[in-house]
Amino acid sequence: MDPLKALADAERKPYWLDSPAKPEPLARLFGETSADLAVVGGGFSGLWTALMAKERDPSLDVVLLEGRRIGWAASGRNGGFAMATLTHGIANGLERWPEEISTLERLGVDNLDEIGEAVAAYDIDCGYERTGELHVATEPWQLEEMNRNVGVARDLGARFDVLDGEQMRAEVNSPTYIGGHWERDGCAMLDPARLAWGLRQACLSLGVRIYERTPVRTMRDTPTSLDLITPHGSVRARRVALGTGVFQPLLRRLKHFLVPVYDYALMTEPLSDEQLASVGWHNRQGVGDAANQFHYYRLTEDNRILWGGYDAVYYNGGMIKPEYEQRDETFVKLAEHFSTTFPQLAGLRFTHRWGGVIDTCSRFSAFYGQSHGGRVAYAAGYTGMGVGATRFGANVMLDLLAGERTERTELRMVKEKPVPFPPEPVRSAGIQMTRWSIAQADLHQGRRNLWLRTLDRMGLGFDS
C-alpha cells in the first residue's frame, strides 16, 4: 500500500465529530446568573459530573459552561475505548497502589457497568458494545511482559483468555501477531462524540443549564460564593467542579502536574464484506498492541477501522495549538504500520486524519483534589483512558464537594498527587529524552536504558 495514495483523500477533521448527528450549538451565556453547582468543561468529565449531580439531588441548580462545543476536544477525538481500569492497567496499579488494587479493579468494573446502564437508561445511541479488548504481542519480549500479571488479573476476577498466535489470528487476522490476551469484560467500544452529545441531552432533560461557546476566563473567590467570569457574563456558584483536562487551568497548581501530549488517528473507508471476511474480527473487540509505542484500533458500526497511536508527541514549551492537530509525518507512519498489520487490505483508503491533545500526568492515571476551602473540586490527568474513568472521577468530585467520606475518597489513589513535572525548559528536555528512550526500548527487546530505569525509581513516566 502506498501510504500517500491511501491518505490522498483523507479529510483533516476528527471522524466522530464529522457527523450528521452533531447537535446545534446551545446559547452562550449573556449576563449574570447563579447556581448551586457550576461545572467547567463540556467533555466527559464535566458532563458526567453535571448529570450525576442532578441524579443525586434533583433540586440542585446546576450550570455547565463549555468554552467551545460539547465534546469537541479529547472526548470527541479518541478511539472510543471505554475501559474499566482506573489505574491505566493492572501493572501500573500494582506498582503504585498494591494494597488497593482489588478495590480499584472492582470499582472500575462497577463504573463501566454503570456507564452501560446510563447509556440504556437515557437511550443514548452511541454504538455501545461490551466486546472486551485484545492485547496483542508482535514480538516475544512483549509476550513475556504481558504474561507477568495474568495470574493476578484472574485472581482479581478478570476474565483473561491467553491466546497463542493461531488463536489470536483466528480473532483478528494479522500476520504480525504471535499471541496475547483477550480481556473479555474490561472494555466497551462506543462512538465517543455521540456519547458526549447523548450525555448533553440527558443533562438537559434533568434541568442542567448548559452554555456553549462560553469560556471561563477567571474564578474569583468571595466570602459567599465563587464567581466564574466569562466573556459576556458571570456565574455566582456555591460549589465548582473543574473538568477542563489539560487546557489552561483555573487553578495554577494544576499546571505542575499536567502536560499536553498529542495523539493521532486515521479512519478508513468502510470495509466490503470480502475485506472484512479477510480480517475476521467476528467479536468486534478493541485491539491494542503491547509495544511501548503502541497502536490502538477498532471497528466502527459501519465496519471502518480506526487506527491510532504510536507517536505520542509533546511539543517543546507545552503549547496547545490548532496546527498541532495535523502531523503528516505521523499520518504517513500510521498508514505504513496499518499496511504491515493488514496486508490483505491493500488498496483500502483513509477518509479522515486528525489529532487531539491528552492530559498526561506522571502516574498515567487521574488525580483529584480540592481548593478554596473545599468549595472547588477537580479531576485531571487521565492520560488517554478517560472515556470510562471520567465517570469515576466525576463521582469523586461530587463526593469531595459534598464533604462525604466514601470508599472512593478514602483511597490512597485519590488522596495522593502524582510527582510534578519539572519546569521548562527542563520539562521539554526530559520528555524528549524519554520519548527517544521509549523508542529505543522497542528496538531492543523492551530493555529500558538508565534514563528510563531512573524515572521508574522516581515514579515519573510519560505515556498517552
Side-chain angles (χ1 to χ4, degrees), residues 406-463:
T406 67
E407 185 177 32
R408 288 181 289 260
T409 63
E410 293 304 298
L411 291 166
R412 186 162 65 88
M413 184 194 77
V414 168
K415 293 180 176 181
E416 292 179 346
K417 297 292 187 293
V419 177
F421 291 100
E424 295 287 4
V426 177
R427 176 180 294 193
S428 289
I431 289 175
Q432 301 307 354
M433 179 64 181
T434 304
R435 292 182 66 234
W436 178 85
S437 297
I438 287 171
Q440 290 299 302
D442 280 339
L443 294 173
H444 296 90
Q445 294 77 51
R447 290 194 293 272
R448 298 173 74 80
N449 63 17
L450 179 60
W451 175 259
L452 292 179
R453 296 196 303 273
T454 300
L455 293 182
D456 291 341
R457 288 193 294 271
M458 296 172 61
L460 275 167
F462 175 80
D463 204 346

Side-chain angles (χ1 to χ4, degrees), residues 304-321:
R304 300 169 184 262
I305 297 176
L306 180 146
W307 178 264
Y310 193 75
D311 278 340
V313 181
Y314 177 78
Y315 291 94
N316 288 341
M319 303 298 289
I320 299 174
K321 298 180 179 180

Side-chain angles (χ1 to χ4, degrees), residues 272-300:
S272 67
D273 291 345
E274 182 180 359
Q275 288 171 324
L276 185 58
S278 74
V279 178
W281 222 331
H282 306 294
N283 292 305
R284 304 183 62 81
Q285 308 97 323
V287 184
D289 66 47
N292 290 297
Q293 291 181 291
F294 62 91
H295 307 86
Y296 57 87
Y297 40 113
R298 49 82 55 97
L299 289 172
T300 64

Side-chain angles (χ1 to χ4, degrees), residues 178-209:
I178 64 169
H181 307 153
W182 181 359
E183 185 181 0
R184 287 183 172 266
D185 303 317
C187 184
M189 308 311 301
L190 51 80
D191 178 327
R194 280 161 46 202
L195 175 60
W197 299 331
L199 290 173
R200 183 187 94 149
Q201 183 56 43
C203 285
L204 293 171
S205 74
L206 296 188
V208 176
R209 291 179 287 145

Side-chain angles (χ1 to χ4, degrees), residues 239-281:
R239 299 285 188 270
V240 174
L242 300 178
T244 53
V246 76
F247 292 94
Q248 186 66 35
L250 292 171
L251 294 177
R252 281 182 292 180
R253 70 184 69 172
L254 296 183
K255 68 181 181 180
H256 302 298
F257 299 107
L258 296 168
V259 295
V261 174
Y262 279 83
D263 179 59
Y264 298 91
L266 304 174
M267 186 69 83
T268 73
E269 61 190 341
L271 274 63
S272 67
D273 291 345
E274 182 180 359
Q275 288 171 324
L276 185 58
S278 74
V279 178
W281 222 331

Side-chain angles (χ1 to χ4, degrees), residues 337-373:
H337 295 175
F338 181 90
S339 179
T340 300
T341 302
F342 296 121
Q344 68 270 44
L345 297 181
L348 192 68
R349 300 172 76 88
F350 298 101
T351 62
H352 293 75
R353 50 181 148 180
W354 72 94
V357 64
I358 293 169
D359 58 335
T360 293
C361 73
S362 63
R363 72 184 198 183
F364 310 145
S365 55
F367 62 94
Y368 316 89
Q370 291 176 278
S371 70
H372 294 73

